[in-house]
Amino acid sequence: MKKIVCDSCGHQNPEGTVLCQQCGKPIDQNQYIDGNENSKLINMRYEGSARRSKTHNKSIVDKTWNFFSSVKIGIWLISITIIASAVGTIFPQEMYIPPNVSASEHYRDQYGILGQIYYQLGFHNLYSSWWYMILIALIGISITIASIDRVVPLYKALNMQKPKRHESFLKRQRLFSSTEQVSEDDKQKAITTLKSIRYKVTEEDGHVLAEKGRFSRWGPYINHIGLIIFLLGCLFRFIPFMYIDEYVWVREGETVLIPGTEGLYYIENKDFILETYGDSPEDERFKEALQKQGGMVAKNYQTDAVIYKNTNPSALGLDPELEKFKEDSIRVNHPIKFDDFALYQSSYQQNEFESMSFKLHRTDDPEEESLGSFSVNLANPENEYILDNGTRVVIDQYFPDYYLDDGEPRSKSKYPRNPAYVFLVYPPGQDDYEISFAGIGRNVDPTGNNEFKLGLQDFEVRDVTGLSVRRDYTLPIISLGGLIFMIGVVQGMYWQHRRIWLHPKNNGLWIAAHTNKNWFGIKRDIEKVINDTNIKMVMDQEEDQNNYQPEEQTK
Amino acid sequence: MKRIEEAKVKKSKKKKNRLVFRSIVLLILFAAVVFALVSNLNKDNAVIGVGDQAPNFELKQMNGDKQSLTLDELKGKGVMLNFWATYCKPCEEEMPYMEALYPEYKDKDVEIVAVSLDATELVIDRFIDKYELSFPVLHDNKGQVLNRYNIGPLPTTFFINEDGIVVEKVAGALTLDRLDGYLKQIQPD
């Protein structure tokens, strides 16, 4: 690496330096980097330090590094990501389209040609698509490398700065004034005031640097560290151990395995409760609002649940050995928690059939007098039922979720949502049977000359609760990232890095000042400093750029 | 002269350090990205995949003389493990193929095991009768095995070799030819 020796103070600066690290003198050949050539004022960005990205370009490692170090690349990546994210919201994502429909058809049917393009380009699964993830990852890399490349030179430049600055550096600061005659008393008075308003003052041969709030310069980098930790937390969500997100349906009275717990935990649904407003007397006060609303308004979704622990999880299959672990009720936003898992009330289905009872009567009996009855437990229907009068009823076919598929009866699922049966009825002491088809709202006699008929007498229903199963160890990491992010924001927003230079010139004194924000604040500080002295107030050279000529200034 | 030499050494050392530092940082960052991408791609894949040991289980057997069957007792044989349900149409379509090839492969030490995910035993019994299934049909009543094998759509079939290692995993229905090919793969030597 070539060094640039400052021709004023002799300090060796790294290649690419714009302003000498020690005295601040502009390095002639590098002024183009920050666009200082044709400007009266110096660009104080990164203290004019050498951002490495702007200099070497050698090995492939350096080239990659410099690519990511560029702020321009970073802004491009962020812009592309923002546009892609926005496009992802035009049509619903795949997880929100109805289940049991093919995504390829759904988007075409619902949204036409645009929908099809959307689907084919993979926007229907945008946020977990590989290219979206790569975009986010590239932003992460860009933030990391760009931060390293800027924070190190900035730190060095701020650490090496000397109170004695080059005159061309001072003159080209935004706030500047020169006074021809200033007594030593006035200068000391100014220094005392600076100290009293909590500036850190360093002196070198009568040259003074007063500095305040330097730590606010680190705000953006702290902020970036928070962001990187946040992204890391999101990355950890892909580790199955760190993040579990499952779903389980439990019928009332049923005990099922909780997915994601590796066979360790089971849940029993004791009762699912759906309360609506208007059920209890104290809801009388809502009467008007409810009438306006029309229909029912849910007040509470609740599952009374028991969590069991499997004491022998290695044995897979057959009946697990369960031990009661916890009993509690799950309500919306009040999950049941056990062993870092949380079960959230997420959905429900009401009135799934639990049992059905039938009675047998003669087909030609207008009174439908019962010859005997039986009840079918839908969770475990039996092969045959013997009635009181000796009639044998055999279940020949059972369709829990009946539908007709090209004229053939089938079941859509294993859940008893629309149960239907083919019964074989054997009258007492006979080997011949009659076939009868019975279901909800249907009772078919295929031959038309059955002597007996099975009629639905009664049925019981039960509710099904839908619970989300979560275990999230990434949340503390993500929160920590968020917290550090906020600290960085506050640090950079509510404090400013203010510097005031006092530069003795012959019998007079120059003042130059710089702050990274809130110029009004630093001007007020300077007003306090020069109060009661004959030091001149600084001019704002940016505001007065047109009519300001420091050399020709007169008292 | 000596000072210039020293400065040169110092410079090249610094350069080397920078290269090492940059390489390490880039390596870590790219490793993290690759990790995220690979995990994301594997997210939907089964916990049990090709090359994995098939977890043992014991389930109630719905046909034949035995009350229950464990996977471990089939060690030494090739096992076709088929997850299905009576209400699943493609499952129903491939059943006759399995039944047709079963006698031939049973003699070659390949066992076909079908695990039903139905809710009730009645429907399974009727199904076995309808297709006169002779290979063991098991009932995963609580969905434990389904969960452990992380089964998505039905049917899903695992072809397991004599050492209990998954050789092939097939989602969706099989044709007679393809089934024959897979069964050949798990035939013990």
Side-chain angles (χ1 to χ4, degrees):
Chain A
M1 185 159 50
K2 261 199 344 233
K3 291 277 184 188
I4 300 172
V5 178
C6 173
D7 52 23
S8 169
C9 70
H11 178 71
Q12 290 197 340
N13 291 292
E15 198 180 335
T17 302
V18 184
L19 304 173
C20 172
Q21 286 177 327
Q22 239 174 44
C23 72
K25 181 177 188 295
I27 311 280
D28 284 340
Q29 71 265 34
N30 283 339
Q31 291 313 296
Y32 70 94
I33 295 178
D34 280 341
N36 286 341
E37 311 102 305
N38 302 316
S39 140
K40 178 170 271 344
L41 299 181
I42 290 172
N43 189 336
M44 288 289 282
R45 186 160 61 177
Y46 308 114
E47 296 296 297
S49 61
R51 275 86 81 199
R52 292 171 180 182
S53 61
K54 304 239 172 183
T55 54
H56 322 275
N57 230 340
K58 291 206 177 125
S59 68
I60 179 83
V61 172
D62 288 328
K63 277 184 180 156
T64 320
W65 184 273
N66 290 342
F67 175 79
F68 285 113
S69 177
S70 155
V71 170
K72 211 191 246 169
I73 296 289
I75 288 170
W76 268 108
L77 287 171
I78 291 170
S79 312
I80 295 169
T81 310
I82 288 172
I83 292 166
S85 306
V87 171
T89 63
I90 294 177
F91 299 130
Q93 291 285 295
E94 194 185 15
M95 64 184 118
Y96 300 116
I97 69 171
N100 310 325
V101 298
S102 132
S104 59
E105 288 166 21
H106 178 80
Y107 285 95
R108 194 188 52 219
D109 296 349
Q110 291 288 311
Y111 311 109
I113 183 75
L114 281 177
Q116 188 162 10
I117 295 169
Y118 196 79
Y119 169 78
Q120 306 243 291
L121 291 179
F123 281 107
H124 68 298
N125 236 333
L126 176 72
Y127 304 108
S128 55
S129 70
W130 59 270
W131 63 270
Y132 189 79
M133 283 185 62
I134 285 180
L135 273 177
I136 300 285
L138 291 180
I139 291 176
I141 294 176
S142 162
I143 289 172
T144 311
I145 291 181
S147 300
I148 293 174
D149 255 11
R150 281 165 183 74
V151 76
V152 173
L154 177 64
Y155 174 81
K156 279 186 182 160
L158 287 177
N159 224 19
M160 283 179 187
Q161 62 173 337
K162 294 215 158 160
K164 187 178 179 182
R165 284 280 162 147
H166 193 265
E167 293 186 357
S168 66
F169 173 87
L170 295 170
K171 267 194 270 183
R172 291 173 72 185
Q173 290 301 318
R174 183 170 155 185
L175 300 183
F176 179 80
S177 78
S178 97
T179 316
E180 305 265 301
Q181 288 289 335
V182 175
S183 68
E184 186 60 27
D185 271 1
D186 277 358
K187 192 182 149 198
Q188 286 309 323
K189 204 184 251 172
I191 291 171
T192 314
T193 320
L194 279 167
K195 283 179 180 162
S196 76
I197 52 176
R198 280 175 284 119
Y199 275 80
K200 199 180 146 217
V201 177
T202 44
E203 275 190 80
E204 183 195 10
D205 310 333
H207 297 265
V208 175
L209 162 66
E211 193 180 8
K212 193 182 194 178
R214 189 197 281 186
F215 83 104
S216 87
R217 294 291 287 270
W218 314 127
Y221 306 101
I222 302 285
N223 180 305
H224 285 176
I225 290 171
L227 213 59
I228 291 161
I229 293 175
F230 183 90
L231 285 176
L232 270 179
C234 296
L235 190 71
F236 283 143
R237 290 206 157 187
F238 292 110
I239 306 174
F241 168 78
M242 298 291 285
Y243 184 67
I244 290 168
D245 183 11
E246 300 274 359
Y247 204 86
V248 63
W249 288 99
V250 200
R251 291 164 171 75
E252 278 173 337
E254 238 183 20
T255 303
V256 301
L257 172 69
I258 304 175
T261 62
E262 291 177 342
L264 207 55
Y265 291 99
Y266 284 73
I267 180 170
E268 180 188 357
N269 178 358
K270 289 225 147 178
D271 192 12
F272 174 78
I273 301 161
L274 170 59
E275 288 170 299
T276 53
Y277 283 101
D279 288 351
S280 58
E282 74 252 33
D283 288 345
E284 193 62 29
R285 59 206 156 117
F286 301 129
K287 206 175 161 188
E288 226 169 283
L290 285 170
Q291 262 166 6
K292 220 188 277 174
Q293 179 73 24
M296 70 165 218
V297 179
K299 187 182 187 180
N300 183 26
Y301 302 98
Q302 178 176 329
T303 305
D304 294 334
V306 185
I307 305 291
Y308 295 95
K309 194 169 183 171
N310 187 356
T311 52
N312 188 10
S314 58
L316 198 58
L318 292 186
D319 281 333
E321 294 158 32
L322 298 181
E323 207 170 71
K324 193 165 171 180
F325 192 71
K326 192 172 182 181
E327 180 164 6
D328 208 346
S329 57
I330 305 167
R331 280 170 293 130
V332 175
N333 291 336
H334 295 273
I336 192 169
K337 288 186 175 170
F338 58 95
D339 193 16
D340 296 335
F341 283 96
L343 296 184
Y344 292 88
Q345 184 69 55
S346 295
S347 185
Y348 70 97
Q349 267 176 14
Q350 278 183 311
N351 304 334
E352 196 179 273
F353 291 93
E354 186 180 16
S355 72
M356 297 168 83
S357 58
F358 295 91
K359 71 166 182 184
L360 188 76
H361 61 89
R362 300 196 81 86
T363 313
D364 53 10
D365 180 5
E367 303 289 312
E368 299 194 352
E369 191 195 333
S370 174
L371 300 172
S373 65
F374 63 99
S375 172
V376 180
N377 174 6
L378 294 178
N380 191 16
E382 280 167 47
N383 256 326
E384 59 174 48
Y385 297 85
I386 312 280
L387 272 48
D388 288 344
N389 72 344
T391 305
R392 207 152 60 91
V393 178
V394 174
I395 300 183
D396 183 50
Q397 295 289 329
Y398 165 48
F399 308 102
D401 197 356
Y402 166 82
Y403 78 110
L404 265 183
D405 180 57
D406 273 342
E408 192 200 350
R410 283 190 71 90
S411 183
K412 259 185 267 186
S413 71
K414 62 177 173 181
Y415 306 114
R417 294 184 182 129
N418 183 17
Y421 310 82
V422 176
F423 288 118
L424 308 181
V425 181
Y426 293 81
Q430 284 190 32
D431 284 339
D432 293 333
Y433 55 80
E434 290 179 353
I435 299 177
S436 115
F437 180 83
I440 302 299
R442 48 178 84 75
N443 198 324
V444 183
D445 172 1
T447 55
N449 43 27
N450 277 357
E451 203 178 325
F452 298 99
K453 192 171 176 181
L454 279 168
L456 183 62
Q457 201 173 23
D458 200 5
F459 58 84
E460 278 172 42
V461 291
R462 59 178 173 177
D463 300 333
V464 192
T465 186
L467 304 170
S468 295
V469 183
R470 290 273 166 75
R471 189 180 74 184
D472 191 354
Y473 289 144
T474 67
L475 219 51
I477 301 172
I478 290 174
S479 315
L480 178 73
L483 180 74
I484 294 176
F485 180 95
M486 276 317 291
I487 291 173
V489 170
V490 169
Q491 194 176 334
M493 290 267 279
Y494 291 99
W495 280 269
Q496 302 98 37
H497 181 214
R498 294 176 182 172
R499 273 175 296 172
I500 299 170
W501 292 276
L502 304 182
H503 185 89
K505 177 83 175 165
N506 304 325
N507 291 327
L509 189 72
W510 286 7
I511 300 188
H514 180 261
T515 178
N516 57 344
K517 53 172 77 76
N518 189 2
W519 294 86
F520 177 76
I522 196 170
K523 280 183 211 163
R524 287 201 29 186
D525 280 356
I526 296 168
E527 272 166 16
K528 279 182 206 155
V529 169
I530 60 168
N531 185 30
D532 226 6
T533 70
N534 70 342
I535 304 170
K536 275 197 207 134
M537 183 54 195
V538 290
M539 301 280 284
D540 192 329
Q541 305 197 74
E542 194 170 275
E543 281 175 10
D544 311 327
Q545 210 155 36
N546 297 330
N547 54 25
Y548 181 75
Q549 286 147 332
E551 257 81 55
E552 291 160 27
Q553 229 192 352
T554 48
K555 41 217 126 115
Chain B
M1 275 315 273
K2 211 182 157 205
R3 277 187 60 184
I4 296 172
E5 287 293 305
E6 268 173 15
K8 262 188 182 164
V9 171
K10 207 175 144 195
K11 209 163 76 183
S12 76
K13 215 172 170 183
K14 213 171 160 187
K15 223 167 166 180
K16 213 173 119 191
N17 284 345
R18 196 186 63 220
L19 187 74
V20 170
F21 173 75
R22 287 184 174 185
S23 306
I24 290 172
V25 172
L26 282 173
L27 218 67
I28 292 171
L29 290 172
F30 282 119
V33 175
V34 169
F35 167 77
L37 285 174
V38 170
S39 326
N40 190 37
L41 284 177
N42 287 338
K43 201 174 56 184
D44 299 328
N45 291 355
V47 179
I48 309 297
V50 171
D52 293 334
Q53 182 83 34
N56 185 36
F57 56 80
E58 181 173 7
L59 287 175
K60 186 171 177 186
Q61 186 165 338
M62 303 299 296
N63 54 353
D65 307 327
K66 293 185 63 173
Q67 287 300 304
S68 70
L69 185 102
T70 62
L71 188 62
D72 273 356
E73 71 191 64
L74 301 176
K75 274 263 166 78
K77 291 181 178 181
V79 179
M80 171 189 174
L81 183 60
N82 176 257
F83 288 88
W84 69 286
T86 56
Y87 52 86
C88 149
K89 234 180 163 179
C91 305
E92 192 167 349
E93 280 159 11
E94 67 178 3
M95 280 290 173
Y97 306 143
M98 286 157 65
E99 184 57 38
L101 292 175
Y102 182 57
E104 178 194 340
Y105 278 95
K106 194 177 167 57
D107 294 340
K108 293 176 181 169
D109 266 350
V110 175
E111 193 64 57
I112 293 180
V113 178
V115 176
S116 165
L117 304 167
D118 279 282
T120 58
E121 296 186 358
L122 184 85
V123 291
I124 306 173
D125 285 339
R126 295 293 181 265
F127 191 89
I128 292 171
D129 292 346
K130 183 177 173 190
Y131 287 97
E132 297 176 328
L133 302 179
S134 56
F135 51 82
V137 175
L138 312 180
H139 187 198
D140 186 18
N141 185 21
K142 287 209 156 56
Q144 293 164 300
V145 180
L146 167 96
N147 201 282
R148 183 72 181 84
Y149 277 78
N150 201 11
I151 304 298
L154 293 178
T156 295
T157 309
F158 291 86
F159 292 92
I160 302 163
N161 69 12
E162 69 263 33
D163 300 321
I165 307 292
V166 177
V167 177
E168 202 74 56
K169 183 190 168 188
V170 183
L174 288 159
T175 59
L176 191 63
D177 284 352
R178 283 179 66 205
L179 184 60
D180 195 44
Y182 287 127
L183 287 172
K184 273 208 177 70
Q185 274 187 48
I186 54 169
Q187 199 177 306
D189 305 318

